[in-house]
């Protein structure tokens, strides 16, 4: 029989206050297979680990059960501990008597009994554990970053500057994301474009970065270190290798359309560059609105193009890339004003969202930086800003806080006052959230120096009356109803994930939360990783955040990628599901459920074959397999049955 | 030394297993030549007392078929166990409880009530029920006690080997007898049949699509069965993938899906549960409502998935109490 050492941790008093450790030891010391039992205050501490190592060596233990916290936290710690003592690390098991026991119970008797059962079941598992060795895999040291907002740009630059190649995929014609649209940034009021464009240019000139704009990921296969990604390069109507970005075509094109970059306030042509500083400096044809594409007449751009780049080719191209890591940095969108009926549903021209106001404030925007309202170009004298529009409103809209709206609204009110000295900004807020370096000071400055009126309360409705917008709300501090006849209203609408995120995450096999933001592997300890190995997260795609947070997370994701690439070979968990060829008769049912395409039926041999590297050990196939041929390593049916029996007490 | 002594016995059985022995046809003569059949109620006139008179362990091997539900069956099983060196559970009922085992879906009282008071065509004006002891002019008549539940043989006595099937095939029987005579037996407790599943010998298995996915469940009684296609892939519930091979996929040869009489392959504890989770895995839908509707069309799931193995299923192990 195996010689198993059982080590109980008090976790300070986290466990021992609720679980009677002595009683548990007494109940377990004669359990079959237990060769040694011992407790310690902090098993994960260095002396705790030394104690385990010593006992393995002294007693020749060939199984260890550490009764402590969740394996998510310390499995790795203790695997390394036993490995250092010469034991196979997969013969170490953790019995979680903290999260699953002491933390969720009050009654010591009950908790102790439960802890004993948990430990017994894990001893049963440990008895049947086999020695396993990690599976070794090669790495392609090239990364793909999806989304080229400031998050994607920062990630790409960091990885490229570490010497690895990067492919940066962006679905718009230019990189830059939302930050390129912003005017000035809180809390320092430096010009957004001015701090972003140097980075954009660095990306475009970087020898290690391959830029693919106007492109989208359409298929992903493979696994960490060895992904295959298919990218659709959307047709631009011209040859970008020939185009020199002179822009003559955009001048001469007769077809005018609202500019997306300017939030519909400015104009662009049917052949266009989204904004002057676009990277790459290239134009695209909007096929749906191009006169030539619609009627075969016009073709002016083709005539004026000095380098003959325009070919009206509508054929999308597809390229396949092999990469070792993928970073998803697809950013955000704002909740559309059109979907908020109580605030005019997008029908009131002078009720705009925050991004539109950024364009109005921007020196390169449609009004050249002067604050003029969209309907008639008048300078608004009374302007109302509403925070938390659709955020923090679980009954009607979204429950979460969009995090950046408080601060950018303060910025908007302040910048407005800097441009319109005799104007009066009013801000409706729920609570002012100014957590961040220099943020509270920024807010105080707006109230004191710029005389912004902050009203704590919510607005129930808005309506147009002549050329005024009537804002009806309540001041919840004084409990008075308030009505402001404003010239213009700016809504800080909620930050929501970018369109297409669901489809993309399906391709990447990563999870999203109920609102569509990317889920991290662990909210505290693995915030930049997804649960799929080799896929990382950066920026607002994960949750709303400001630029400093976005950039730090992006650097974090980049450093995770570099850490990955620094490995000579990748080690893949050996807790996978193989095939017992003595039993498997190739029914192929397991292949249907495998989400990673790790299993294939070989009809000729009447066997299922497994690609061990693709298997993530989810165990779906082991549950589906009707013959018992698919067993998860160290989680075999026998082990699980033995565990259940240990908990239920043999046979019920 | 005389020829090895062999016994055959039946507990709750339909007689099919006895038939299977007779099906050995002329080969039975070889068996008869090699052994001494000392007990076989269906064919020979020996009595319990004859067995009782034998020395313990004097029977080389006893083949016992049928499930166990009465005192008499327990008694006979225990007696034969004592007298035999080897006991082979013969056929699905002795192996796993078999079709009689489906009675475990009802209580003893429900069964009595149905059979003696509520069965269509029944005439029982005095509401008579069988009694353990009844007095008649000639004296006392006794009936064995009818237990709360049906059991497989190894839930009553120690069993050395299992010959699965409803009924075991002649080839398998010959194989087992030969192995015993020659002393070429695997470790105790083994099922004397291959470890692979029925798909292994099923000729239709080459026609399987790359991935089996089903949108509807078809019943053989109501649909035409294709001659040459994987039945499961066509939506017919075929237990082949969850069933031990050894039958040679005979049912599929005559165009009927496998019902699982050989029991689960080695290592699987609960054949029905395994098949159920496999079936759920091939339902081609992500919509909970659609899945539920499809699963609703499985008529009598317990009877279907546990047609032969209910008494040895996990469910039964947890709910059943051993009665003496
Ligand atoms: C009105 C407003 C004002 C703000 N002001 C400030 C401020 O003053 N200071 C501050 O710190 N923060 C501010 N913020 C927050 C700031 O904008 C964000 O923190 C920052 O832009 C996040 O960058 P990102 O790269 O994560 O996302 P994004 O900027 O949204 O970039 C994502 C990029 O990914 C691309 N993409 C999306 N999906 C795909 C796909 N499937 N395939 C390929 N590409 C894709 C998008 O086209 C986009 O280019 C403000 C936000 C708003 C709404
Ligand atoms: S455990 Fe099975 S289903 Fe899951 S990834 Fe591995 S092979 Fe696929």
């Amino acid at each position: 029989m195996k010689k198993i050492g059982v080590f109980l941790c008090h976790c300070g008093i986290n466990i021992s206050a609720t679980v009677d450790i002595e009683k548990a030891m007494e109940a377990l010391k004669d359990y079959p297979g237990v060769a040694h039992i011992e407790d310690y205050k902090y098993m994960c501490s260095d002396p705790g680990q030394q104690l385990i190592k010593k006992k393995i060596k002294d007693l020749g233990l060939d199984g260890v059960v550490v009764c402590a916290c969740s394996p998510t936290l310390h499995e790795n710690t203790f695997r390394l501990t036993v490995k250092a003592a010469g034991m196979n690390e997969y013969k170490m098991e953790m019995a979680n008597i903290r999260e699953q026991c002491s933390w969720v119970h009050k009654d010591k008797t009950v908790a102790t009994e439960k802890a004993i059962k948990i430990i017994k079941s894990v001893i049963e598992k440990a008895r049947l554990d086999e020695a396993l060795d990690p599976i070794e895999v090669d790495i392609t040291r090239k990364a793909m970053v999806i989304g080229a907002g400031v998050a994607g740009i920062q990630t790409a630059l960091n990885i490229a500057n570490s010497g690895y190649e990067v492919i940066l995929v962006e679905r718009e014609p230019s990189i830059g994301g939302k930050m390129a649209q912003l005017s000035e940034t809180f809390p320092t009021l430096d010009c957004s474009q001015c701090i972003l464009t140097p980075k954009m240019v660095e990306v475009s000139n970087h020898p290690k970065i391959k830029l693919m704009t106007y492109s989208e990921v359409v298929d992903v296969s493979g696994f960490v270190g060895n992904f295959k990604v298919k990218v659709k390069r959307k047709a631009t109507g011209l040859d970008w290798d020939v185009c020199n970005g002179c822009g003559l075509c955009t001048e001469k094109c007769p077809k005018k359309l609202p500019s997306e970059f300017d939030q519909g306030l400015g104009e662009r042509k049917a052949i266009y560059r989204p904004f002057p500083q676009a990277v790459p400096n290239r134009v695209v044809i909007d096929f749906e609105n191009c006169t030539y594409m619609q009627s075969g007449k016009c073709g002016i751009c083709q005539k004026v193009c000095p380098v003959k780049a325009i070919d009206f080719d509508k054929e999308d191209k597809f390229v396949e890339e092999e990469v070792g890591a993928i970073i998803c940095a697809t950013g955000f969108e704002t909740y559309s004003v059109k979907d908020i009926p109580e605030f005019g549903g997008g029908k009131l021209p002078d009720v705009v969202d925050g991004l539109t106001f950024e364009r109005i404030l921007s020196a390169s925007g449609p009004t050249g930086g002067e604050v003029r309202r969209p309907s008639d170009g008048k300078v608004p004298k009374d302007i109302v800003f509403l925070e938390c529009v659709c955020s923090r409103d679980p009954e009607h809209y979204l429950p979460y806080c969009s995090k950046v709206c408080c601060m950018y609204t303060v910025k908007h009110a302040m910048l407005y006052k800097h441009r319109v000295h005799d104007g009066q900004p009013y801000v409706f807020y729920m609570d002012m959230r100014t957590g961040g370096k220099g943020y509270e000071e920024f807010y105080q400055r707006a109230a004191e120096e710029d005389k912004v009126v902050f009203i704590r309360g919510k607005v129930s409705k808005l309506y147009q009356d002549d050329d005024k917008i009537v804002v009806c709300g309540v001041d919840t501090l004084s409990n008075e109803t308030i009505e402001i006849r404003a010239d213009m209203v700016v809504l800080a609408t909620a930050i929501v994930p970018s369109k297409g995120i669901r489809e993309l995450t399906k391709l990447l096999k990563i999870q999203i939360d109920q609102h569509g933001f990317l889920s991290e592997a662990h909210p505290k300890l693995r915030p930049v990783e997804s649960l799929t190995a080799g896929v990382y997260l950066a920026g607002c795609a994960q949750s709303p955040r400001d630029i400093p947070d976005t950039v730090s997370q992006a650097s974090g994701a980049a450093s995770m990628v570099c850490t990955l690439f620094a490995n000579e070979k990748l080690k893949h968990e050996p807790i996978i599901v193989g095939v017992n060829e003595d039993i498997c008769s190739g029914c192929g049912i397991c292949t249907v459920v495998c989400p990673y395409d790790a299993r294939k039926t070989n009809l000729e041999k009447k066997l299922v074959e497994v690609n061990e590297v693709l298997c993530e050990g989810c165990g779906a196939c082991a549950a589906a397999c009707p013959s018992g041929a698919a067993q998860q390593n160290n989680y075999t049916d026998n082990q699980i049955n033995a565990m259940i029996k240990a908990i239920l007490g043999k046979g019920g | 030394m005389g020829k090895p002594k062999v016994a055959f016995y039946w507990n709750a059985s339909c007689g099919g297993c006895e038939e299977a022995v007779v099906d050995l046809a002329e080969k039975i003569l070889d068996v008869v030549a090699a052994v001494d059949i000392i007990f076989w109620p269906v064919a020979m006139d020996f009595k319990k007392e004859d067995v009782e008179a034998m020395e313990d362990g004097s029977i080389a091997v006893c083949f016992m078929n049928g499930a166990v539900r009465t005192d008499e069956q327990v008694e006979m099983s225990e007696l034969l166990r004592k007298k035999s060196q080897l006991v082979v559970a013969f056929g699905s009922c002795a192996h796993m409880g078999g079709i009689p085992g489906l009675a475990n879906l009802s209580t003893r009282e429900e069964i009595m009530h149905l059979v003696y008071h509520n069965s269509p065509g029944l005439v029982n004006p005095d509401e008579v029920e069988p009694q353990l002891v009844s007095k008649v002019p000639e004296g006392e008549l006794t009936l064995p006690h009818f237990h709360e539940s049906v059991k497989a043989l190894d839930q009553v006595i120690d069993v050395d080997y299992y010959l699965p099937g409803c009924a075991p095939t002649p080839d398998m029987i010959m194989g087992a007898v030969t192995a015993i005579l020659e002393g070429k037996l695997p470790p105790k407790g083994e099922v004397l049949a291959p470890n692979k599943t029925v798909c292994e010998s099923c000729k239709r298995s080459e026609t399987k699509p790359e991935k089996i996915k089903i949108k509807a469940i078809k019943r053989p009684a109501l649909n035409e069965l294709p001659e040459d296609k994987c039945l499961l892939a066509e939506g017919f519930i075929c237990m082949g993938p969850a069933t031990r091979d050894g039958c040679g996929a005979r049912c599929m040869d005559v165009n009927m899906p496998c019902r699982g009489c050989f029991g689960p392959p080695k290592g699987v504890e609960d054949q029905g549960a395994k098949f159920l989770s496999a079936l759920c895995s091939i339902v081609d839908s992500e919509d909970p409502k659609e899945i539920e509707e499809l699963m609703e069309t499985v008529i009598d799931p317990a009877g279907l998935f546990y047609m032969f193995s209910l008494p040895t299923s996990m469910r039964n192990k947890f709910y059943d109490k051993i009665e003496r």
Side-chain angles (χ1 to χ4, degrees), chain A residues 145-153 169-172 174-180 182 184-187 215-217 329-334 353-356 358 404-405 407-408 411-412 439 493 495 498-501 504 538-542 544-550:
Chain A
V145 179
I146 307 173
V150 63
I153 291 175
V169 180
E170 166 60 53
R171 81 176 157 202
E172 297 300 322
S174 169
I175 64 171
K178 298 287 186 294
M179 190 176 162
L182 305 184
E184 289 160 32
T185 56
F186 64 75
S215 300
E216 267 174 78
V217 168
T330 48
F332 71 100
E333 251 146 61
T334 50
D353 68 4
L355 273 179
T356 312
E358 291 285 341
V404 291
C405 325
M407 287 310 293
Y408 79 62
K411 172 186 79 175
H412 284 171
Y439 288 11
T493 53
I495 303 272
S498 65
K499 277 194 202 75
I501 191 77
L504 182 65
C540 286
Q542 190 200 357
R545 62 195 58 201
D546 54 25
I547 298 165
D549 279 3
T550 299

Side-chain angles (χ1 to χ4, degrees), chain A residues 577 594-596 598-599 615-621:
Chain A
V577 181
C594 178
Y596 305 97
R599 309 179 81 87
C615 172
E616 285 287 326
C618 70
C621 56

Side-chain angles (χ1 to χ4, degrees), chain A residues 254 290-293 296-305 310 312:
Chain A
C290 160
T291 319
Y292 179 82
M293 293 307 290
K297 297 194 191 92
C298 183
I300 291 176
C301 52
Q302 198 172 37
K303 286 176 205 127
V304 301
C305 177
I310 294 164
F312 296 109

